Amino acid sequence: MHQNDGVCFTSSPLKIPLSQTPAFQLTGTRHLAFQLIDSLRNRFNIVKHHQFNVSAQSELGVRSSTRRSPLLCFASVSLAAEKQSIGRSPLLYSASLSLTQPDSTESTQDGHLATAGRYGEERVLVGEVLVRNKDGEELERKDLEMEALNALKACGANSALTAWEVQEDVDRIIDSGYFSSCTPVAVDSRDGIRLVFQVEPNQELRGLVCEGANVLPSKFLENAFRDGHGKVVNLKCLDQVISSINGWYMDRGLFGLVSGVDIFSGGIVRIKVAESEVNDISVRFLDRKTGEPTKGKTKPATILRQLTTKKGQVYSRLQGKRDVDAISAMGLMDVSILPQSAGDAGKVDLIMNVVERPSGRFSAGAGISSGITSDLLSGLFGSFAYSERNLFGKNQKLNVSLERGQIDSTFRINYTDPWIEGNDKQTSRTITVQNSRSSGTLVHGNQHDNSSLSIGRVTAGVEFSRPLRPKWSGTAGLFFQRAGAYDEKRNPLIKDFYGSPLTASGKLYDDMLLAKVEGVYPGSDNKGSSMFIINMEQGLPVMPDWLYFNRVNARVSKSVKLGPARLLLRLSGGHVVGNFPPHEAFAIGGTNSVRGYKEGAVGSGQSYVVGSSEVSLKMLGPVEGVIFADYGHDLWSGPNVPGNPAGARNKRGSGYGYGIGIRLNSPLGLLRLEYAFNDRFAKRLHFAFGNPK
């Protein structure tokens, strides 16, 4: 917030100490309180034996010869500051009770002081108790007088008091928060001893100055002091405001606390805030085995650019935790942030301790293709991959993989730079070269002689991704693709058994330049999670025989917790228009579509929509049970696909399925085993890895 550097005060301020010592803990002043009662007792005896003539001159006290009144004592309250941690500093005041005497040439007996303990003290009878200002006059504000009187617990008219009880009532008046001092004065009156508490009220709040608060919103301070403007400053309320300011910093994990409070004449309150700014950020690599400093492979700049914490800003523990999570998400290292006090007052240095992990590895595995249509064994495939996750020490990734099965096979080379150097939008770049072969039965089914055909694609291109806004990311890319159909012996095909074309150009293969755009929202909230994905592919006819078409696909899901169960709703749909090959049509039916059907058995359309709902319930450990229902429709667009492959194979274009299943969260990922029925009374067992798409 803006600092009031132009405001200058020359009057003496009232220093408000930041201490945790309760006001009633006045062990250093109890001896003096006993002096008051002992003096009162001695005075009563002097009056009795020497018969002093005391004339009451006012209702506030006794005006007698000073030389004959050596026992007129009074106690003054002072505010004493104690050095404590800034984070533990409520405005609790310590009142010290000191007894002073007017100048006198006569001795007060022999100087002997009674110092009896709290228990067993002699009591002195007080006939009247009053509250007055420090000059002995009535308070202008009766509400403050009532506050002081209401604070009294022991002292009252016609009460026998001990020094301890007077001391505690002094503390209670100060603890009410409305007064900066309280002086108990004992005087004689016609009705006996009168106890007067002379108080000095705090000033009215007329202005506020806050220094050092660079991130604290001014609106927060305005709201905190709004109800107190023009009213007498209550130190207890001021303490609550300070606690709320400290709480504001704590809730946001910020290194900032109130370091001091002054109240100036004129009712100006000055609050000083200490905020710890980041002075320097450094990276220190540690050996995984010994914990000793070592030389790291990763470039320090690659780590530091992941930080949202910058030099000169107030350090936030929450922001630091997010930075640690961002660095850990790179998958290259374990990291922790160690704040240390800097040489400059009020600043902090951040040391990042980094322990690197191995970045290169070989891996092998096996799986089942989701495109199988007959038995599980026909969908089995094996995989082999090599990956380097920290190429050149810049977190760049190189991945070479091979997947091979009876039907599907893919050879892929990926190079990814997750943050292009010099780009401040955290844009990533991925270059891909891929040769793949996938089942064509999703659209075309098996041939008449029960042989299968496959779709071969050779793809090369580049895509860029970056965060667009909170919880949104976008991807744009450009790819060249050559695609064609092949039989089981890898011979190219132009038409299938029914005479339907397998390419859009009528040649052995189709060439296309695809511009791809995708937006992803993987948001979540406390009541559930949401997901939305939309992507578009546009064929660009750069060459006369290159394909020109547009394909849009979208998916949305919503998960809601219902007691011990969880409800998941999914909806997907798409449309393709232009000169597109039939294998780019949307296949409906299968493990990730309408369960209870084979892959693509419901329909193959130019458009489609599929909806799904399921309720899952935790059963035992990582196992959960699920009940589901699916429905899909091609929106009567099957005949619009070149060659009408769905009509030639008597696909209905719509259908639904339902069933039950179990799922297991394993080290390999989510394993799904589902048993489904469809609207044709057929049954089917589905087995797959990962969440439904």
Side-chain angles (χ1 to χ4, degrees):
M1 65 175 289
H2 297 292
Q3 300 185 20
N4 295 283
D5 296 328
V7 179
C8 179
F9 301 96
T10 58
S11 58
S12 299
L14 171 64
K15 297 285 186 178
I16 305 301
L18 302 180
S19 169
Q20 270 203 319
T21 306
F24 56 80
Q25 294 180 348
L26 307 174
T27 56
T29 63
R30 291 171 185 164
H31 176 75
L32 299 178
F34 289 121
Q35 295 182 42
L36 175 61
I37 297 301
D38 187 58
S39 298
L40 291 173
R41 183 167 56 253
N42 292 337
R43 181 184 181 186
F44 177 77
N45 293 331
I46 292 173
V47 173
K48 179 178 180 180
H49 291 94
H50 298 279
Q51 297 181 355
F52 288 148
N53 292 323
V54 180
S55 60
Q57 304 241 340
S58 72
E59 61 177 316
L60 300 177
V62 177
R63 178 77 58 129
S64 59
S65 173
T66 303
R67 295 172 54 85
R68 299 179 60 189
S69 305
L71 302 179
L72 293 178
C73 306
F74 66 92
S76 64
V77 176
S78 63
L79 300 181
E82 298 184 14
K83 294 182 179 180
Q84 297 287 346
S85 169
I86 294 176
R88 304 171 58 190
S89 54
L91 292 177
L92 296 178
Y93 295 88
S94 184
S96 63
L97 182 63
S98 60
L99 301 183
T100 62
Q101 299 176 340
D103 294 337
S104 175
T105 60
E106 297 183 5
S107 171
T108 62
Q109 302 295 321
D110 56 359
H112 175 73
L113 299 176
T115 58
R118 177 177 181 180
Y119 300 101
E121 298 179 38
E122 294 186 20
R123 295 181 176 272
V124 175
L125 181 63
V126 175
E128 187 177 9
V129 177
L130 298 175
V131 174
R132 295 294 183 261
N133 64 18
K134 63 180 181 179
D135 297 323
E137 301 174 351
E138 290 189 17
L139 296 180
E140 295 181 359
R141 297 188 54 166
K142 294 301 180 182
D143 57 335
L144 294 179
E145 181 179 338
M146 292 303 301
E147 290 288 346
L149 290 173
N150 291 335
L152 301 177
K153 299 299 182 183
C155 299
N158 301 319
S159 58
L161 303 175
T162 65
W164 192 280
E165 291 171 335
V166 174
Q167 175 66 67
E168 288 184 332
D169 274 351
V170 169
D171 302 339
R172 293 187 181 102
I173 291 176
I174 294 298
D175 286 344
S176 68
Y178 290 99
F179 307 97
S180 59
S181 68
C182 177
T183 303
V185 179
V187 297
D188 285 334
S189 69
R190 294 178 179 178
D191 298 327
I193 296 175
R194 175 185 297 158
L195 181 59
V196 179
F197 290 94
Q198 294 183 351
V199 298
E200 183 177 0
N202 296 325
Q203 302 178 70
E204 294 183 357
L205 178 62
R206 296 300 181 186
L208 173 66
V209 176
C210 187
E211 298 179 353
N214 298 314
V215 297
L216 182 69
S218 58
K219 192 68 175 179
F220 181 87
L221 285 174
E222 293 174 5
N223 294 335
F225 283 92
R226 177 176 298 165
D227 295 337
H229 187 75
K231 299 180 182 178
V232 173
V233 175
N234 186 296
L235 301 182
K236 293 178 68 175
C237 295
L238 186 56
D239 178 58
Q240 294 175 0
V241 171
I242 291 174
S243 297
S244 67
I245 294 174
N246 292 339
W248 185 90
Y249 283 98
M250 184 176 296
D251 292 342
R252 289 154 182 80
L254 296 169
F255 277 26
L257 288 173
V258 176
S259 60
V261 179
D262 298 331
I263 300 179
F264 293 90
S265 59
I268 304 298
V269 175
R270 180 176 68 182
I271 296 179
K272 297 180 180 179
V273 177
E275 296 179 344
S276 296
E277 295 181 354
V278 177
N279 179 64
D280 188 31
I281 306 175
S282 59
V283 178
R284 180 171 60 187
F285 293 95
L286 302 178
D287 185 85
R288 177 171 293 274
K289 295 181 179 179
T290 65
E292 297 295 326
T294 186
K295 184 178 181 180
K297 178 181 177 181
T298 307
K299 304 291 185 183
T302 301
I303 300 175
L304 294 176
R305 69 180 180 180
Q306 300 288 337
L307 302 180
T308 57
T309 301
K310 304 299 180 184
K311 295 180 182 180
Q313 72 177 65
V314 178
Y315 179 63
S316 167
R317 290 188 299 269
L318 298 180
Q319 189 175 4
K321 182 180 183 302
R322 290 193 294 267
D323 289 339
V324 168
D325 293 341
I327 297 174
S328 299
M330 295 165 61
L332 303 176
M333 60 198 70
D334 300 316
V335 62
S336 61
I337 296 181
L338 179 64
Q340 291 187 345
S341 177
D344 296 336
K347 293 190 176 183
V348 61
D349 288 334
L350 302 182
I351 299 178
M352 304 186 62
N353 291 325
V354 175
V355 179
E356 292 184 302
R357 304 172 187 170
S359 59
R361 65 177 181 178
F362 290 92
S363 62
I368 299 177
S369 172
S370 62
I372 59 173
T373 58
S374 54
D375 57 82
L376 293 177
L377 294 179
S378 63
L380 286 174
F381 67 88
S383 64
F384 173 83
Y386 169 77
S387 62
E388 170 58 53
R389 299 179 295 167
N390 196 15
L391 201 63
F392 310 121
K394 297 183 177 181
N395 192 30
Q396 298 175 2
K397 298 172 173 57
L398 176 66
N399 185 277
V400 180
S401 63
L402 173 64
E403 297 178 357
R404 186 62 186 257
Q406 295 187 40
I407 299 176
D408 296 345
S409 66
T410 302
F411 175 74
R412 180 186 297 113
I413 300 176
N414 271 2
Y415 165 77
T416 300
D417 186 352
W419 194 334
I420 300 175
E421 190 172 355
N423 182 271
D424 60 347
K425 301 298 184 180
Q426 202 168 349
T427 303
S428 68
R429 175 180 56 216
T430 300
I431 300 174
T432 302
V433 177
Q434 177 177 296
N435 186 357
S436 65
R437 181 166 60 95
S438 60
S439 174
T441 56
L442 277 71
V443 174
H444 302 282
N446 289 329
Q447 299 291 73
H448 185 70
D449 57 359
N450 206 30
S451 62
S452 62
L453 59 84
S454 60
I455 305 298
R457 297 179 176 88
V458 176
T459 306
V462 59
E463 64 181 8
F464 299 88
S465 300
R466 53 157 292 189
L468 298 178
R469 54 182 305 176
K471 296 185 179 181
W472 274 97
S473 63
T475 301
L478 190 65
F479 292 85
F480 174 80
Q481 183 179 112
R482 169 170 287 187
Y486 301 89
D487 62 15
E488 291 180 329
K489 297 181 180 181
R490 297 290 294 167
N491 296 316
L493 299 174
I494 298 178
K495 296 183 179 181
D496 63 8
F497 178 82
Y498 297 96
S500 301
L502 296 175
T503 60
S505 62
K507 299 180 179 180
L508 294 178
Y509 50 82
D510 292 321
D511 289 333
M512 61 196 84
L513 183 64
L514 298 176
K516 293 186 177 182
V517 179
E518 181 178 75
V520 178
Y521 173 81
S524 62
D525 52 45
N526 295 330
K527 297 182 180 180
S529 60
S530 304
M531 182 273 295
F532 177 70
I533 299 176
I534 182 169
N535 57 67
M536 182 188 71
E537 298 176 357
Q538 176 66 55
L540 304 177
V542 177
M543 301 296 290
D545 55 347
W546 288 10
L547 301 187
Y548 175 68
F549 67 94
N550 180 273
R551 190 174 194 265
V552 179
N553 193 22
R555 290 184 290 155
V556 62
S557 68
K558 176 69 176 178
S559 176
V560 181
K561 192 171 183 180
L562 301 176
R566 180 171 292 275
L567 173 64
L568 175 64
L569 301 175
R570 296 193 308 272
L571 181 66
S572 60
H575 180 70
V576 57
V577 61
N579 184 25
F580 64 95
H583 56 77
E584 290 291 341
F586 298 102
I588 307 171
T591 303
N592 293 315
S593 182
V594 180
R595 285 162 286 192
Y597 281 92
K598 294 181 180 181
E599 302 296 324
V602 174
S604 303
Q606 182 184 19
S607 306
Y608 88 105
V609 62
V610 171
S612 177
S613 64
E614 60 184 42
V615 177
S616 58
L617 179 66
K618 290 286 186 180
M619 296 176 62
L620 183 63
V623 180
E624 65 180 15
V626 62
I627 302 175
F628 59 85
D630 307 321
Y631 177 79
H633 201 290
D634 67 359
L635 303 179
W636 304 278
S637 63
N640 298 331
V641 178
N644 190 14
R649 291 160 180 82
N650 296 319
K651 297 182 180 181
R652 300 174 59 188
S654 65
Y656 64 85
Y658 56 91
I660 59 175
I662 59 173
R663 293 174 183 173
L664 173 64
N665 285 306
S666 71
L668 299 176
L670 182 65
L671 303 180
R672 298 161 45 203
L673 182 62
E674 298 160 340
Y675 191 69
F677 303 85
N678 64 26
D679 52 343
R680 294 188 175 184
F681 307 103
K683 302 181 288 275
R684 187 166 182 82
L685 183 66
H686 297 271
F687 179 76
F689 288 92
N691 290 304
K693 298 179 181 179

